[in-house]
Amino acid sequence: MKGPDMEIMLKEGPFTLLRLDQEDESLLLLGDRIIVPAGACQEIIRILHLPHQGLTKTKQAARQLYFWPGMNAAIKNAVTSCQACQKFMPSQQPEPLHQIQVGGPMEMVSADLFDWAGQSWLVLVDSYSGYLIASRLFSINTDIDFCPGGRMEREKFRYRKQEQSESRARPLPILEPGTNVLVQNPITKLWDTSSKIISILDSSRSYVISDGEKTFRWNRKFIRPQNPPIRLGEIIAVEVLQCPASEKSTRLFPRLSKKKSVSFHI
Ligand SMILES: [Zn+2]
């Protein structure tokens, strides 16, 4: 970190105070890392996260150059609240398949919609025998939108077949009504629609959600809680309140407290 235009003013343990000759300002270092004053943390996080590389890489980049109390928590809050990163989050894992015991024919049937030859159809399947009944639909209007449309239905069917063959299935946390969520588009895979949980169906596997205009029934796998956007200044203020940077720096480097003033250059 030390360059030809820098001079060591003070060194104690892992801490070093460097004076920048050209600008009459100082750098406080912890090892080779710059100790960032509270007022500059917001801008540092913003710059580090410009490539939107996710939490791990943003933390790694920060640890290489900077230090301030509560740095990891501040970066985590900023990255998990980043709207751009949430849009491109990976798909969630499939949930385990339900095992249902059926006692006899037509005791339980499954229903779904599909398009074929330009027409909409309703299909019923007896869970006991596998007997199938298909009936053409002349209207698919309903209060609850099952997302009719051949392509989307085929995508949902393909996802279900994938889930059956994947062994990494595990339950997803239950979401409470009123929770703001992001909905994944099953075709583009982007989490690009904001909605709110209205109610829970089917033992927390399906949810009725609303985007403010329409109501949908959607599978839990394609819904995840939305982290609200947070202004970085608010995050830093909270972190500084929990662990004041000035107090910790003074405790770790007591001789600094004897100085009248120390300026920092970032
Ligand atoms: Zn981001």
Side-chain angles (χ1 to χ4, degrees):
M1 181 63 69
K2 186 175 180 298
D5 57 344
M6 297 181 183
E7 175 190 352
I8 295 179
M9 296 173 63
L10 205 58
K11 187 167 179 59
E12 184 167 315
F15 295 91
T16 305
L17 185 64
L18 287 179
R19 183 174 64 201
L20 307 177
D21 292 340
Q22 299 297 322
E23 303 178 32
D24 195 25
E25 291 183 341
S26 301
L27 275 178
L28 181 59
L29 306 180
L30 172 62
D32 286 338
R33 300 159 67 188
I34 298 170
I35 296 181
V36 180
C41 297
Q42 173 182 348
E43 183 64 8
I44 292 293
I45 293 179
R46 188 190 69 78
I47 293 171
L48 288 172
H49 193 57
L50 278 178
H52 295 286
Q53 287 191 307
L55 179 59
T56 301
K57 290 198 173 183
T58 304
K59 280 184 178 180
Q60 286 176 346
R63 289 176 188 144
Q64 289 177 354
L65 289 174
Y66 305 109
F67 169 82
W68 70 86
M71 183 175 77
N72 285 339
I75 293 174
K76 181 179 180 181
N77 285 341
V79 173
T80 55
S81 302
C82 174
Q83 300 300 291
C85 285
Q86 290 187 71
K87 182 177 180 180
F88 293 95
M89 280 189 294
S91 298
Q92 299 183 115
Q93 80 276 7
E95 293 189 284
L97 295 176
H98 277 313
Q99 297 293 325
I100 301 174
Q101 298 294 327
V102 182
M106 304 307 287
E107 184 177 293
M108 178 180 291
V109 296
S110 301
D112 208 346
L113 301 175
F114 70 96
D115 285 356
W116 180 67
Q119 298 172 340
S120 296
W121 295 76
L122 171 67
V123 59
L124 301 176
V125 179
D126 176 31
S127 299
Y128 183 81
S129 64
Y131 187 76
L132 183 147
I133 303 169
S135 176
R136 184 185 169 192
L137 294 176
F138 295 93
S139 173
I140 55 175
N141 294 327
T142 175
D143 291 337
I144 294 181
D145 192 340
F146 288 89
C147 293
R151 187 177 180 189
M152 189 164 288
E153 285 301 312
R154 283 195 295 275
E155 286 294 324
K156 287 167 65 178
F157 181 75
R158 186 171 64 80
Y159 269 114
R160 290 179 193 139
K161 296 297 288 183
Q162 278 183 349
E163 290 172 4
Q164 291 175 12
S165 62
E166 293 178 6
S167 59
R168 61 190 179 94
R170 56 188 170 87
L172 291 163
I174 296 174
L175 301 175
E176 297 296 329
T179 303
N180 291 318
V181 294
L182 284 175
V183 180
Q184 186 181 37
N185 185 312
I187 298 172
T188 65
K189 313 289 176 58
L190 297 178
W191 299 87
D192 55 2
T193 304
S194 296
S195 294
K196 180 175 284 191
I197 301 286
I198 303 300
S199 60
I200 308 174
L201 303 170
D202 299 346
S203 303
S204 77
R205 285 298 182 88
S206 298
Y207 290 78
V208 175
I209 61 175
S210 172
D211 63 1
E213 296 182 357
K214 288 186 176 181
T215 302
F216 303 88
R217 174 175 172 159
W218 214 257
N219 187 278
R220 173 65 180 86
K221 184 180 188 306
F222 304 102
I223 303 171
R224 72 188 318 155
Q226 180 180 25
N227 296 317
I230 300 177
R231 290 178 55 243
L232 287 175
E234 296 172 355
I235 299 170
I236 301 304
V238 171
E239 298 303 329
V240 170
L241 193 65
Q242 292 172 344
C243 188
S246 57
E247 287 183 16
K248 189 162 187 176
S249 298
T250 302
R251 179 168 55 82
L252 294 173
F253 203 174
R255 288 172 63 182
L256 283 176
S257 61
K258 299 175 183 175
K259 289 181 171 293
K260 292 293 183 184
S261 64
V262 177
S263 60
F264 297 96
H265 174 78
I266 301 299

